[in-house]
Structures are given as structure tokens and as C-alpha cells.
Amino acid sequence: MEEEDLVELLASTGVTCRLLVEQTQGPYHRAVHPERREITEDRDGLPLRLGLRLLAADATTPLADVLVEVWQADHVGRYSGFQPFEARPGQVVTSESVPHDVIAAGETYLRGSQRTDERGMCAFNTIYPGWYASRTVHIHLIAHLGDCLVTTQLYFPDTVTDEVFSRPPYRGRPQRDTTNATDSIFADGGEQMILDLQGDPTTGYTGVLCVVLDRQARPASAAGPSAESDG
């Protein structure tokens, strides 16, 4: 599905716009987010086309020329640039317990940014994210609103994730240890941030979301990993 198709899908299917719920940034954010639509690079996984629409607080006015960053784990739960982390059985993964050092500065897979168009829309080509210990499946997002940032996470229906993870390349891993229902970060408004999905676990999915942003977000200088959360 091309970007224009995603835009038309957002515009024509009556996707409900929801108030964006701010959530933690986590430890795996980097300054390196190439401005591009295609972020998959060499990662294996089920194709996912992500379409987003951003509206102002009146839920009507598009937010144009907003830089939107996204980043996510690959199908084995690794973020580009960072050392793989294996939690001990029963360990709760937090920003304090994972390595923060970038060990592969040249890696940029599954990271990218786009500016919204005059309709407040942008799109990314990626893959369905993998899981890692103590987190449900998610994609991170930061929207730059002038000198402020709005930070959140995007989620997937558990039933879809279970079906995707029953197929390669995801099925070779152990069963995930956290779902939406048991994720402590999702519990804080994550239901609002579940993508509307179309497609199937064989050919791929298109996920769209329309969100209303409050411009009174935290200053960009305040952005940083939370000591209470993982990536």
C-alpha cells in the first residue's frame, strides 16, 4: 500500500480520532532518526504499513509540518545500536537495568522520522515488532511540536500479535511473557493507542491511528529516559 493509499484510508474509513496519551520514552531512544518513510532496512518480519494523522486540541485542525519520530524492536526484540539484553527469569526490565551504551552507531534499522503533510498525515513502512522481557508489543513515537515534545507508544491487539507470533520468523522464540493485559505501561492509557489494523498475518498489516494532541506538552529539554520504565 502506497503512502497516498494510507492517507486515503485515514481520510475515508472514519477512523476514530482519540486523545493522545503520553507515555514514557524508555531507554532506547537515539538522536539518529533518518527522515524517511522506509525504516525496515535488512530486518526480517511481517510487513507493517503505519499511517498516522495528528490533529490539534480542537480535534479538527490538522497539525502540519510536525516531525514524527518512531522506533521499535526487531523480530527478536533488539533495538538498533544497542546491545541485546536478556533478562533473568522473573526480572522486571527497567531503564536502570538495561545497557544504555550505543555499541553500533551505524545501525539505524527500524528508526525513522517523517513530517506531517498539510492534512496532518505521515506514513512509515516497517515490520511487526517483536517482544522482549516485561513489555507487550509496541512502537515508540515522539511528535515535535515547536519547542515541545509529545511522547507515546503505539500498541497492537493481543489476538493479532498471538497470530503473528505463531508464524516465522517470530515463532522460533519462546512465548512472550507480557501482554497488553499484564503490561504496566500499557495500563496507563494504552487502550487509547491501539492501532486500527487491516490485513492478515500472511501478507502483512496496515495500521492507522488518528490522534488529538495537546500543544502544552513537556519542553524538549525535559525529554529523557524514564527510570520507571523499559524501552
Side-chain angles (χ1 to χ4, degrees):
M1 179 177 288
E2 297 300 324
E3 182 172 7
E4 190 60 31
D5 296 327
L6 279 172
V7 168
E8 293 307 317
L9 181 62
L10 275 164
S12 66
T13 58
V15 175
T16 301
C17 286
R18 310 168 196 168
L19 182 65
L20 182 143
V21 176
E22 290 202 68
Q23 294 194 325
T24 180
Q25 174 180 288
Y28 294 125
H29 180 263
R30 294 173 59 193
V32 178
H33 279 82
E35 194 162 340
R36 58 185 180 173
R37 180 186 177 186
E38 174 57 65
I39 66 174
T40 306
E41 296 189 13
D42 62 348
R43 297 295 100 174
D44 292 331
L46 183 71
L48 173 68
R49 294 157 293 273
L50 176 62
L52 303 168
R53 187 178 191 188
L54 278 56
L55 301 179
D58 61 7
T60 301
T61 305
L63 291 175
D65 200 35
V66 172
L67 185 68
V68 177
E69 298 179 32
V70 296
W71 69 101
Q72 66 176 82
D74 66 7
H75 78 278
V76 297
R78 185 186 169 200
Y79 286 87
S80 59
F82 290 91
Q83 178 179 342
F85 177 74
E86 294 295 334
R88 301 186 303 274
Q91 179 183 7
V92 176
V93 181
T94 70
S95 287
E96 294 177 335
S97 64
V98 302
H100 286 233
D101 293 335
V102 175
I103 63 168
E107 287 184 346
T108 57
Y109 62 79
L110 303 178
R111 297 180 184 272
S113 63
Q114 288 276 283
R115 291 190 178 274
T116 56
D117 64 15
E118 67 278 2
R119 293 164 291 189
M121 299 180 182
C122 64
F124 297 91
N125 289 335
T126 184
I127 60 169
Y128 205 96
W131 69 273
Y132 54 95
S134 83
R135 284 307 318 275
T136 194
V137 176
H138 60 282
I139 296 175
H140 295 271
L141 181 151
I142 291 179
H144 294 251
L145 300 177
D147 294 331
C148 293
L149 303 180
V150 177
T151 304
T152 193
Q153 299 183 27
L154 310 176
Y155 297 98
F156 301 81
D158 276 329
T159 53
V160 174
T161 296
D162 289 341
E163 183 64 29
V164 171
F165 284 5
S166 71
R167 301 165 182 262
Y170 305 89
R171 71 180 178 190
R173 302 185 65 205
Q175 185 175 0
R176 60 189 177 128
D177 63 4
T178 308
T179 65
N180 293 348
T182 59
D183 185 280
S184 61
I185 297 174
F186 179 90
D188 187 19
E191 192 74 30
Q192 287 281 98
M193 305 309 297
I194 295 178
L195 294 166
D196 291 315
L197 295 179
Q198 295 187 12
D200 63 73
T202 301
T203 61
Y205 284 97
T206 295
V208 296
L209 188 64
C210 177
V211 290
V212 176
L213 280 69
D214 183 350
R215 281 191 174 273
Q216 294 186 356
R218 61 196 175 115
S221 60
S226 167
E228 302 299 324
S229 65
D230 74 336

